[in-house]
């Protein structure tokens, strides 16, 4: 039997993945809060629990055959060293530019942009010919404009509650984001039938959920 290792992003994607996995006939058979490798109820599928930003690396290197990860992480990671066969439609949000309400762009210096996504931000501003200074943060981007660290932020927005609560407004949407199934390129060749089955099962499960 061809065993498959599926990398799951810990956090909100994991929470939203579990019901979808159930539709595919996969449930963790172990303590997913503590264990990093967890067998599943399907003998041919084992699960690994990974921090979202590390999922593309595990899948690219073949440490996992497949993974579930946000499009934001894939865009920031860059490259095309893995296949992205399916949008599984969970963890929906958008990547946006935001600023303090009533904000006016400075004229005498470059815009300062705080973000956890420096590559996405760099590409976005470069595409419009704006030279900006990018400040890399690891979380709570919404604070940066409030304390003068940045003029704008590039971050994920879903309900808009976090922006509103902090007196920020969305200036512009960069793109829509959802989670994707990604596949290691060699695995796709070597374990093609098993992986194609799983991709089809995820597609069916997604169709049945809506
Ligand atoms: P870490 O905790 O390792 O820094 P993280 O903050 O990216 O990771 P999560 O907040 O669980 O982890 O987000 C995982 C993914 O879920 C993101 O990459 C994005 O695709 C999506 N996401 C993030 N925030 C939201 C949100 N507010 N609503 C819906 N989806 C979101
Ligand atoms: C994410 C994102 C925003 C917020 C947007 O943060 O970075 O701050 O969700 O969601 P909303 O529009 O529904 O308010 P998260 O809750 O993941 O916190 P984090 O900074 O720990 O990643
Ligand atoms: Mg988060």
């Amino acid at each position: 039997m061809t065993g498959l290792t599926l990398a799951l992003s810990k956090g909100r994607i994991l929470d939203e993945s579990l019901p979808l996995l159930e539709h595919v006939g996969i449930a963790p058979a172990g303590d997913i809060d503590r264990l990093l490798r967890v067998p599943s109820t399907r003998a041919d599928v084992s699960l690994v629990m990974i921090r979202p930003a590390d999922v593309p690396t595990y899948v690219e290197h073949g440490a996992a055959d497949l993974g579930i990860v946000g499009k934001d992480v894939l865009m920031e990671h860059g490259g095309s060293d893995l296949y992205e066969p399916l949008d599984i439609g969970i963890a929906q949000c958008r990547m946006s530019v935001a600023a303090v309400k009533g904000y006016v762009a400075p004229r005498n210096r470059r815009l300062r942009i705080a973000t956890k996504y420096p590559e996405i931000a760099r590409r976005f501003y470069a595409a419009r010919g704006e030279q900006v200074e990018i400040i890399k943060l690891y979380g709570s981007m919404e604070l940066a404009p409030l304390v003068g660290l940045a003029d704008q932020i590039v971050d994920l927005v879903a309900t808009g509650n976090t922006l509103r609560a902090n007196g920020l407004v969305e200036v512009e949407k960069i793109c829509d984001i959802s989670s994707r199934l990604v596949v290691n390129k060699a695995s796709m060749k070597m374990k093609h039938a098993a992986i194609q089955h799983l991709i089809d099962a995820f597609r069916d499960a997604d169709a049945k959920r809506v």
Side-chain angles (χ1 to χ4, degrees):
M1 195 187 297
T2 318
L4 293 178
T5 300
L6 172 61
L8 299 178
S9 293
K10 286 198 250 182
R12 73 178 80 228
I13 292 184
L14 178 59
D15 300 341
E16 292 193 41
S17 297
L18 292 176
L20 188 61
L21 285 171
E22 219 162 277
H23 277 275
V24 177
I26 300 171
D31 179 1
I32 51 168
D33 293 329
R34 229 179 280 273
L35 291 172
L36 299 176
R37 293 175 75 170
V38 186
S40 88
T41 47
R42 259 179 64 168
D44 59 333
V45 178
S46 65
L47 309 172
V48 285
M49 308 295 162
I50 298 177
R51 207 167 157 188
D54 290 335
V55 168
T57 305
Y58 275 76
V59 175
E60 263 174 18
H61 288 267
D65 300 294
L66 309 99
I68 295 178
V69 66
K71 181 68 179 175
D72 51 323
V73 171
L74 291 171
M75 288 167 66
E76 185 63 23
H77 184 78
S80 53
D81 266 355
L82 33 72
Y83 292 123
E84 189 193 315
L86 194 64
D87 180 348
I88 57 170
I90 62 171
Q92 291 191 7
C93 51
R94 54 193 184 271
M95 185 69 69
S96 289
V97 178
V100 171
K101 206 172 171 187
Y103 138 96
V104 181
R107 288 172 175 224
N108 55 345
R109 59 167 174 80
R110 289 180 183 187
L111 272 187
R112 284 197 293 262
I113 314 298
T115 185
K116 187 170 152 184
Y117 302 94
E119 266 310 303
I120 294 174
R122 191 188 57 71
R123 286 199 294 266
F124 174 75
Y125 289 98
R128 43 173 57 198
E130 269 187 71
Q131 295 220 325
V132 298
E133 181 189 341
I134 292 178
I135 300 168
K136 163 84 185 182
L137 293 177
Y138 291 87
S140 303
M141 268 68 75
E142 291 86 357
L143 179 62
L146 304 181
V147 294
L149 177 62
D151 302 297
Q152 298 183 340
I153 61 170
V154 168
D155 192 18
L156 298 171
V157 181
T159 60
N161 287 341
T162 311
L163 291 183
R164 266 190 298 280
N166 290 289
L168 303 181
V169 289
E170 204 171 348
V171 174
E172 188 171 345
K173 179 172 93 173
I174 298 177
C175 60
D176 287 311
I177 299 290
S178 55
S179 293
R180 311 299 161 105
L181 191 64
V182 291
V183 181
N184 172 266
K185 285 192 167 173
S187 301
M188 190 66 138
K189 284 206 190 84
M190 309 295 289
K191 305 180 180 180
H192 188 264
I195 288 180
Q196 194 56 53
H197 258 108
L198 208 51
I199 295 170
D200 293 342
F202 270 105
R203 193 178 285 117
D204 288 350
D206 197 31
K208 280 196 195 104
R209 280 182 332 137
V210 282

